Amino acid sequence: MYRYDKYDQAMVDTRVEEFRDQVRRRIEGKMDDDQFKPLRLKNGLYLQLHAYMLRVAVPYGTLNSAQMRTLAMIARKYDRGYGHFTTRQNIQYNWIKLAEAPDILADLAKVEMHAIQTSGESIRNISSDQYAGAAADELIDPRPWAEMLRQMTTFMPEFSYLPRKFKIAIIASAEDRIALRWHDFALRIVQNTAGELGFEVFAGGGMGRTPFIAYCIREFLPTTQIFSYLQAVLRVWNRHARRDNIHKQRMKILVHDLGQEEFTAQVEEAFEHFLSLGEDFPPAEYDRIAAYFAPPAFEQGLSDEIDLSDPAFARWVERQVVAHKAPGYAIANISLKPVGGIPGDITAEQMELVADLAERFSFDELRSTHAQNLVLPHVKKADLYTVWQALVSAGLADANLDLISDLIACPGLDYCSLANARSIPVAQKIAERFADPARQADLGELKIKISGCINACGHHHAGNIGILGVDRKGSESYQLLLGGSGDEDTTQAKIAGPGFDEDGIVDAVERAVEHYRAVRSPNERFIDTYRRVGMDGFKEAIYG
Amino acid sequence: MRIITGNDLKTGAVTWWTGYDWSLHVEDAVDAGADAEAVMAREVATCRVNGPYIIDGEKTADGVRPAHIKDRIRALGPTVRPDLTLKPADPEAREWVI
Ligand code: HEM
Ligand code: SF4
């Protein structure tokens, strides 16, 4: 993985000391909150319901064991013994004290991590495939480009005061595991007929109160021209963005106001200009960065056999283990969704155990996923049983990847100051209702996504079943949505009808699920059945 | 009653105006009445509290009860982690919130 050079380290260290001074001045009363708030947000420090919340960037979802151990240490020393993995592959701490925030950032800097650009009107942490560098189905590891984009977009003045936040994602496989087209700017690495690699470019996606799926604005962009192209996109947005109206500032609004054709034409024109400046990175720079992501020294001649004689282990392998590109290796998904648990939460002890497993069995690498789970990307098939036993001992061995209990949920009203309703209790009740593993397995892939308000941090627009918390005359209410997808077959979920209270929404989900069971064709997933039969039958089943 | 609440500047902890100081316990909150705005302005200037605001609430037999669920969750802690709330040993506490 990428390692900081002396410039990266100096920038991050300097930033920590700058923030330490800002915090000191705030506490001494030399700055008021209006002055201080934008500064703390530039360092990922929010104020939530019960305390400050720190969002730490996990660049493209890649972590090593030293970093994970530091995250555990922070949870224990400065927080209350746990952290929360988010839908953008980052981690959040919920109980941070302002006075200690600079020390936390200093500890993070020691393991080449920070919280810069995890808030505010900036280019946020870049999402990438959690299986990058390991997946059997990828063209090439997308992370060198993610890292180059990270470097070119960090602290760049023109990108530091954007009209609104800007989220980038990049993958290199046909299967979309990161909700690609729900991002402002999304890249899929493809190959042209001449065998050259390039980007298929999408722009204008986003969730929030006005959801849009990104359009394709370029079918093939040579990889070496990405910097010019991204600048062109940002220039067009910067030029026209509705800075007067906070609800219309996201790029998705502009892209859809101008329309695919006009937006694309303006980008192409600006692109010509940026290309002519000759500022794109030289091929040698790609080689330099890519060297950091060279595949680990996989052993040759390993067997692909896995001893599945233990039935519980066999179930876990069937659900959680995915094909690896190297013979004899596998990708192991770690569920952070135990039935009745809090989606994405992980204790300091669990973080340490996972760090040990990464160090011993996965070439020191770990990944976080947008579905709020973790991944050991490079495990020898012969080691899977040992890994599984360790996960069992830590309560991390649930076999529910992409099943109904693998719910995505934002923190909601239990933690978040913007929330209308609690998300976590709804997630817990649904998982409990469908706890029986046989029932879950029978239902197959079924992605439920819950947000506690219209901001859509819990991706409800992309849920096969989406749930949105709303405020109905001062009490919590939940809307049910159906038919969304964050996968390669991206679709936006539609509202089924009137809302429900907390228990009512769990019953409504069950009625929708039972309707699916009644009308599905053999081997048909929930989303496919919904697309085939449409909303009406579901509506009738739900509302009677 | 008009209750003033905010978060402690240094710790971020939820605090309630008691008439002369800030408390972590909603039971200590007082009706700030017509003075609320003036108290808020003065307290912001002393840099002890962050983002104070005025909420509605009532005095009940069980003590002070903020009108909105959001402030009751702030008063107690996350409903999904009773162990981390101000009343970890009280099984009824969650019911009070909802
Ligand atoms: C608790 C503190 C949080 C705050 C204050 C917060 C705030 C927001 C706001 C205001 C938006 C809407 C932005 C817009 O549409 O312009 C948003 C969107 C989003 N947030 Fe959060 N959020 C929080 C936590 C989270 C968590 C825990 C996750 C992951 C589970 C997350 C992931 C996202 C995502 C994926 C979106 C949708 C982005 C889009 O519109 O494309 N956020 N957040
Ligand atoms: S969706 Fe709303 S409630 Fe949930 S974390 Fe985002 S802002 Fe908070």
Side-chain angles (χ1 to χ4, degrees), chain B residues 21-35:
Chain B
D21 200 357
W22 295 93
S23 166
L24 296 179
H25 304 282
V26 70
E27 298 91 284
D28 301 334
V30 292
D31 186 353
D35 290 342

Side-chain angles (χ1 to χ4, degrees), chain A residues 48 410-413 416-421 423 450-458:
Chain A
Q48 286 303 303
C410 78
L413 193 53
C416 175
S417 55
L418 302 173
N420 287 323
S423 317
I450 311 176
S451 307
C453 81
I454 196 78
N455 288 322
C457 303

Side-chain angles (χ1 to χ4, degrees), chain A residues 26-27 29 33 49-52 80 82 95-99 413-414 417 422 424-425 428 471 476, chain B residues 7-14 47 49-50 68-70 73-74 77-81 84 94 98:
Chain A
R26 173 70 183 115
I27 290 174
D33 198 49
L49 289 189
H50 314 292
Y52 293 92
R80 297 199 176 177
Y82 69 107
W95 302 92
I96 298 303
K97 298 183 176 71
L98 177 60
L413 193 53
D414 280 299
S417 55
R422 290 169 299 148
I424 299 166
Q428 291 172 322
D471 180 311
E476 298 168 293
Chain B
N7 292 74
D8 182 83
L9 174 67
K10 284 187 212 164
T11 66
V14 177
C47 277
V49 68
N50 211 338
H68 199 279
I69 182 172
K70 172 175 160 180
I73 290 178
R74 290 178 67 248
T79 65
V80 290
R81 289 295 303 266
L84 302 180
R94 194 172 172 279
I98 304 159

Side-chain angles (χ1 to χ4, degrees), chain A residues 420-423 425-427 429-430 433 450 466-472 474-480 497-511 542-543, chain B residues 69 94 98:
Chain A
N420 287 323
R422 290 169 299 148
S423 317
V426 174
K429 283 186 178 173
I430 293 172
R433 178 74 59 93
I450 311 176
I467 297 173
L468 166 64
V470 293
D471 180 311
R472 222 180 53 197
S475 53
E476 298 168 293
S477 176
Y478 298 92
Q479 278 182 346
L480 184 70
F500 300 91
D501 66 11
E502 186 178 314
D503 291 323
I505 189 73
V506 181
D507 294 337
V509 166
E510 187 165 35
R511 288 197 292 275
I542 295 163
Y543 294 97
Chain B
I69 182 172
R94 194 172 172 279
I98 304 159

Side-chain angles (χ1 to χ4, degrees), chain A residues 53 55 86-87 164-165 167 206-207 250 411 455 457 459:
Chain A
M53 180 273 274
R55 182 180 291 156
T86 77
T87 48
R164 196 76 178 83
K165 62 167 85 161
K167 297 178 178 177
M207 303 209 196
R250 289 285 298 272
N455 288 322
C457 303
H459 285 200

